[in-house]
Amino acid sequence: MTHTKLRVSGMGCAACAGAVEEALLRQRGVSGAHVNPASDEATVEYDPSMASEAGLAAALSKVGYAVETRTASMAVQGMTCANCAAAVEKGLRSARGVLSANVSFASETAVVRYNPAATSVPALLRAVRDAGYAASVLRHQEEGKTEGSDAGRLKMTLVFSLLLAVPTFVLSMVSPLDVRANGLLLLGLATPVQFVAGGRFYLGAYRALRHGRATMDTLVSVGTSAAYVYSVLAISLPGRFGDDFYFDTAVLIISIVLLGRYLEARAKGRASQAVRDLVGLQAKMARVVRQGSESQLPVEEVKVGDVVIVRPGEKVPVDGTVIEGQSIVDESMLTGEPMPVDKKAGDVVVGATINGSGLLKVTVTGIGEETALARIAGLVRQAQGSKPSAQRLADSVAGVIVSAAVAIALVTFLAWYFGAGAQLAFALTAFISVLVISCPCALGLATPTAIMVGIGKGARSGILVKSAEAMERARRVSAVVFDKTGTLTLGKPAVTDFVPTSESRAVDVMCLAAAVEKASEHPLGLAIAQAGEKTCGPLDYSHDFESFGGRGVAGRVDGRMVLVGSRLLLEENGVPIGDAEQVAAGLESEGKTAVLVSVDGRVEGVLGVADAVKDGSAQAVAGLKEMGLETVMLTGDNRRAGEAIGELLEIGDVVSEAMPEDKVEHVRMLQERGHVVAVVGDGINDAPALAQADVGIALGSGTDVAMESAGIVLMRDDPRAVVEAVGLSRRTMRKVKQNLFWAFFYNATAIPIAAGALYPVFGLLLNPAVAAAVMAFSSVSVVGNSLLMRR
């Protein structure tokens, strides 16, 4: 039995604690549970062969309680293939307190979700070390340093190897010395390559052997050692093994594999460029005001509550709130939106954005890992390390291939040497070729590199895909459900129409109405005042202002009595409506609110006020239809308003007056009809539907609850980004399919050829050095194919 502690949120009473305890005791394998509502902690005794902490957390979430979790990102050193990543992942998942772990061979990172009441980051690092690999905490400021240093070490080792491998190869072909003397010279040249340049392969194979595993390092070290040992025996026992030496084979394999790893490291570095680009956006220095004096400080020394000065053209160094000044700020590096945003006192600014023409004084609210930039980088990193179902299949196959390769190589050797009666050198060549060419590196890189590039490309465009599963599901979406207010529309009233009774007085009437509404606090009044200021410029307040409780307002402007409001307001004041009734009815049939304007007892115009459609909504709906997707709009608004927007945007299915639970039910109905559903929303009331959807897509302008429930977050407030997100997922998963096809095809065809399947018919036997080159090329080509998406 194992004991663990869970910190549970959402308990507010003894009854809640009882519900949590009951839910835990119902789980298979749980023999005891005690919940303390005062400390919000649950102590659970369970059989680890029948239950897990992840299962306990999932059980509590079903009854409405959440287990407090944290996420740790780690850089993992020493992984050489997908089998290594699988070993690290297994070690982490079996560690106490770990709820989930995703290890990416492509990015050499591990993202672990754990229970802080049961484990800690140092314990997680120990779990990686126990699996035979080195690990360190990965902070966003250090992103990319590991890739650069590893590529640098590989380059130095590769150069050293080539300096000795080239003369070894030449002297194996042509030598002025006798056979024995030449053999000794080759031994002197090959030994440093075998054990110094090739030392990393032996070390990796030893680590894997200690844990009962076989990896790419096992294949390379066994294959090159066979060639090296055979050659040493040929020198030591002349006549017993012939006069052929295979030192050149051993050193060329090591050199070519090192070259492949170097090119692979460079390519993987480019695949994960997105996170480094985000981190590189951060300002290095900040102009801080302390005790009345201004000084330049490294951004790491800035504290929450400090006041920083941001001059025109400078980067905003940290997250904060503007307390003085006015400017425009370029936020395109985070949102993908090219238009700069106006900022004034009270507005929030984000670190790494670029100040425009004005001077801003900002109070710091977020630093370091707590900035929006760091959180986005962390989100992208976690998403790049997550695995779709295709990757899990590839990993399981890769785990079998390495073990199978050793068995196939042994069978190949025995079949040629004992079965076919071939010479020892021939059988040894086939044995080494099978070992070297069998490495499933391409299979391990096929999916993660495409996912990394796709998610990185999305991040540059303001599309944050939170997991590989979301990317995979978005490709299969067949129906897109939109919320209306705040998603397809601006979410606030705006003047959409103004129909004057006299064209000659149109501007004058609009200005009069806006001047009266300037004193109003009603949303419709604010919309009319804003529209009037755009047309008329700054307006003075009216005199004798009076509000009539939802019916409208009245005031005197330049001696003229102005009424702005409903029919009822005008009728109460004895103003005949006349022909304006027909205009008002027409606007209302379109789902708009009709507001009448009377000047000195006569109706002079009718305003139409509605929640205006966003720029890009129509293009978004049209783009999704072109992709063959069904579009639906769910709104809590009245039927006329909903149908008017649906007709304007040409959305086929409109459901109005829908409560949050109605939206969930409609999404469920679409799913029961066989649709893969994406829901696009921005509000708290959209969160249940976002969670029910196969893919939830939240607008970055929305609430935290909506963004937490979604699998994809759009950083810019533009519905057209939905089309981009679906298109990106389709392109990314198409690359995954291409990569997996070629990786499987490579392993399926290369191993029989290396084993000598073509020799009886064509007399063709693969040279081990060529096998190493083919293996290295397969990995680099898969990464290169993924990188094509960056164009």
Side-chain angles (χ1 to χ4, degrees):
M1 287 291 177
T2 298
H3 288 82
T4 190
K5 284 187 177 181
L6 303 174
R7 192 169 292 120
V8 184
S9 60
M11 294 192 299
C13 60
C16 298
V20 169
E21 195 169 291
E22 183 181 348
L24 290 170
L25 289 171
R26 282 201 304 265
Q27 299 308 300
R28 184 169 175 264
V30 175
S31 57
H34 173 70
V35 180
N36 184 348
S39 63
D40 288 338
E41 281 192 350
T43 304
V44 189
E45 183 180 17
Y46 66 96
D47 183 346
S49 66
M50 301 172 67
S52 66
E53 290 187 53
L56 299 177
L60 291 184
S61 69
K62 289 180 181 178
V63 294
Y65 299 94
V67 172
E68 181 186 335
T69 62
R70 293 180 187 170
T71 301
S73 297
M74 298 182 288
V76 182
Q77 294 88 39
M79 296 191 297
T80 58
C81 63
N83 276 7
C84 299
V88 175
E89 196 167 286
K90 182 180 179 182
L92 284 168
R93 286 182 173 174
S94 61
R96 184 184 176 202
V98 172
L99 301 178
S100 67
N102 277 309
V103 180
S104 171
F105 166 52
S107 62
E108 298 179 348
T109 59
V111 178
V112 188
R113 190 168 64 91
Y114 66 96
N115 171 15
T119 191
S120 62
V121 172
L124 300 177
L125 296 174
R126 281 197 301 273
V128 177
R129 287 195 290 271
D130 290 343
Y133 301 88
S136 59
V137 176
L138 182 64
R139 295 180 174 85
H140 83 282
Q141 295 95 335
E142 301 165 355
E143 193 73 43
K145 292 181 181 178
T146 303
E147 292 95 330
S149 60
D150 191 42
R153 287 192 298 269
L154 277 168
K155 184 177 181 180
M156 292 175 61
T157 307
L158 173 62
V159 170
F160 170 77
S161 179
L162 288 173
L163 288 174
L164 297 174
V166 171
T168 301
F169 175 74
V170 172
L171 290 172
S172 296
M173 300 295 104
V174 180
S175 175
L177 304 175
D178 60 58
V179 173
R180 182 170 175 76
N182 188 52
L184 291 172
L185 178 58
L186 292 174
L187 175 64
L189 290 170
T191 299
V193 178
Q194 185 71 37
F195 298 105
V196 178
R200 60 171 56 217
F201 302 118
Y202 285 106
L203 181 60
Y206 170 70
R207 287 172 176 166
L209 184 62
R210 281 179 56 202
H211 294 84
R213 299 189 309 270
T215 66
M216 173 190 175
D217 290 330
T218 307
L219 302 180
V220 174
S221 57
V222 171
T224 58
S225 295
Y228 180 84
V229 170
Y230 178 90
S231 302
V232 171
L233 292 174
I235 294 173
S236 305
L237 303 170
R240 297 283 299 275
F241 289 87
D243 295 330
D244 293 327
F245 306 124
Y246 288 89
F247 289 117
D248 59 326
T249 298
V251 298
L252 283 176
I253 288 174
I254 289 173
S255 298
I256 291 171
V257 173
L258 285 172
L259 174 61
R261 284 199 180 176
Y262 171 66
L263 295 175
E264 186 182 296
R266 291 282 303 274
K268 287 193 297 184
R270 289 196 293 273
S272 59
Q273 186 69 37
V275 176
R276 293 199 298 280
D277 285 348
L278 285 172
V279 174
L281 292 173
Q282 186 179 31
K284 302 297 186 291
M285 303 293 290
R287 189 172 282 103
V288 183
V289 179
R290 288 179 182 169
Q291 297 178 347
S293 62
E294 182 181 316
S295 58
Q296 284 266 41
L297 294 176
V299 72
E300 293 83 6
E301 297 181 18
V302 178
K303 299 176 182 179
V304 173
D306 278 342
V307 174
V308 298
I309 303 294
V310 188
R311 293 178 178 175
E314 291 182 342
K315 283 185 178 181
V316 178
V318 289
D319 291 5
T321 302
V322 178
I323 58 173
E324 188 178 317
Q326 188 170 352
S327 184
I328 57 172
V329 176
D330 180 2
E331 297 182 340
S332 60
M333 65 287 298
L334 294 181
T335 65
E337 177 60 54
M339 293 299 294
V341 181
D342 290 326
K343 298 291 181 182
K344 59 184 182 303
D347 289 339
V348 173
V349 290
V350 179
T353 55
I354 300 175
N355 186 25
S357 56
L359 181 75
L360 295 177
K361 189 176 286 188
V362 177
T363 298
V364 178
T365 58
I367 57 173
E369 302 291 328
E370 300 304 316
T371 62
L373 180 68
R375 290 195 296 271
I376 291 171
L379 180 63
V380 173
R381 187 194 302 120
Q382 290 179 37
Q384 289 180 333
S386 61
K387 297 179 181 181
S389 57
Q391 177 63 25
R392 288 190 286 272
L393 172 63
D395 285 349
S396 62
V397 172
V400 174
I401 286 178
V402 175
S403 301
V406 176
I408 294 171
L410 286 171
V411 171
T412 299
F413 177 83
L414 295 173
W416 281 114
Y417 188 62
F418 293 106
Q423 293 182 354
L424 178 61
F426 184 97
L428 184 65
T429 297
F431 171 78
I432 296 171
S433 295
V434 170
L435 284 177
V436 173
I437 210 167
S438 298
C439 177
C441 288
L443 202 56
L445 291 168
T447 300
T449 52
I451 293 293
M452 286 169 64
V453 173
I455 288 175
K457 187 173 178 65
R460 290 190 181 92
S461 303
I463 301 170
L464 296 185
V465 183
K466 294 167 67 174
S467 68
E469 288 84 358
M471 179 75 82
E472 188 175 35
R473 289 195 297 268
R475 176 191 67 85
R476 298 185 288 109
V477 164
S478 59
V480 179
V481 176
F482 287 98
D483 169 54
K484 180 181 79 70
T485 306
T487 301
L488 293 173
T489 64
L490 294 174
K492 58 182 180 180
V495 175
T496 57
D497 302 85
F498 176 48
V499 184
T501 57
S502 171
E503 291 295 335
S504 62
R505 297 194 61 197
V507 174
D508 184 36
V509 172
M510 185 69 191
C511 297
L512 292 172
V516 175
E517 291 285 14
K518 187 175 181 179
S520 172
E521 295 183 356
H522 193 281
L524 296 182
L526 293 174
I528 294 170
Q530 289 173 359
E533 287 184 341
K534 289 181 181 179
T535 303
C536 314
L539 298 168
D540 293 328
Y541 285 97
S542 61
H543 300 286
D544 302 327
F545 174 82
E546 188 175 359
S547 177
F548 296 94
R551 302 191 301 282
V553 294
R556 196 171 295 278
V557 182
D558 296 334
R560 288 177 285 184
M561 189 62 193
V562 181
L563 296 175
V564 185
S566 65
R567 299 177 183 82
L568 182 57
L569 176 66
L570 269 64
E571 289 171 356
E572 288 176 349
N573 285 271
V575 178
I577 298 174
D579 295 340
E581 171 62 36
Q582 186 176 354
V583 175
L587 291 172
E588 288 171 342
S589 68
E590 298 174 3
K592 301 170 184 177
T593 300
V595 180
L596 287 75
V597 182
S598 162
V599 180
D600 291 335
R602 177 181 173 184
V603 176
E604 295 286 357
V606 183
L607 293 161
V609 183
D611 186 3
V613 172
K614 287 181 181 177
D615 292 336
S617 291
Q619 295 95 316
V621 173
L624 292 171
K625 286 183 176 180
E626 287 179 10
M627 299 171 81
L629 306 184
E630 185 175 322
T631 56
V632 181
M633 186 178 77
L634 301 179
T635 177
D637 210 341
N638 64 75
R639 184 179 57 82
R640 280 195 303 186
E643 290 179 353
I645 297 295
E647 184 178 345
L648 179 65
L649 299 179
E650 299 183 357
I651 295 176
D653 187 6
V654 177
V655 179
S656 302
E657 300 176 359
M659 300 298 289
E661 56 271 23
D662 299 327
K663 294 182 180 182
V664 171
E665 184 58 32
H666 196 84
V667 172
R668 190 179 290 118
M669 288 170 54
L670 287 169
Q671 291 170 328
E672 289 173 354
R673 282 163 44 193
H675 281 294
V676 177
V677 182
V679 172
V680 188
D682 73 322
I684 293 175
N685 62 330
D686 299 321
L690 289 168
Q692 174 64 35
D694 297 287
V695 184
I697 303 176
L699 297 182
S701 61
T703 65
D704 291 340
V705 175
M707 288 190 277
E708 185 66 28
S709 304
I712 299 175
V713 177
L714 307 178
M715 295 303 293
R716 64 184 191 271
D717 192 14
D718 187 344
R720 286 172 291 193
V722 177
V723 183
E724 293 180 39
V726 175
L728 175 68
S729 68
R730 290 185 174 184
R731 291 194 300 275
T732 301
M733 299 314 295
R734 188 161 55 242
K735 283 295 180 186
V736 168
K737 285 185 175 181
Q738 292 171 4
N739 288 348
L740 285 175
F741 170 79
W742 287 113
F744 276 112
F745 178 80
Y746 160 79
N747 281 108
T749 58
I751 293 176
I753 294 173
L758 300 180
Y759 187 80
V761 179
F762 300 102
L764 176 65
L765 184 67
L766 204 61
N767 184 285
V770 175
V774 172
M775 183 270 292
F777 174 76
S778 69
S779 298
V780 175
S781 63
V782 163
V783 179
N785 186 46
S786 298
L787 289 173
L788 292 176
M789 282 195 297
R790 294 179 64 192
R791 294 184 177 179

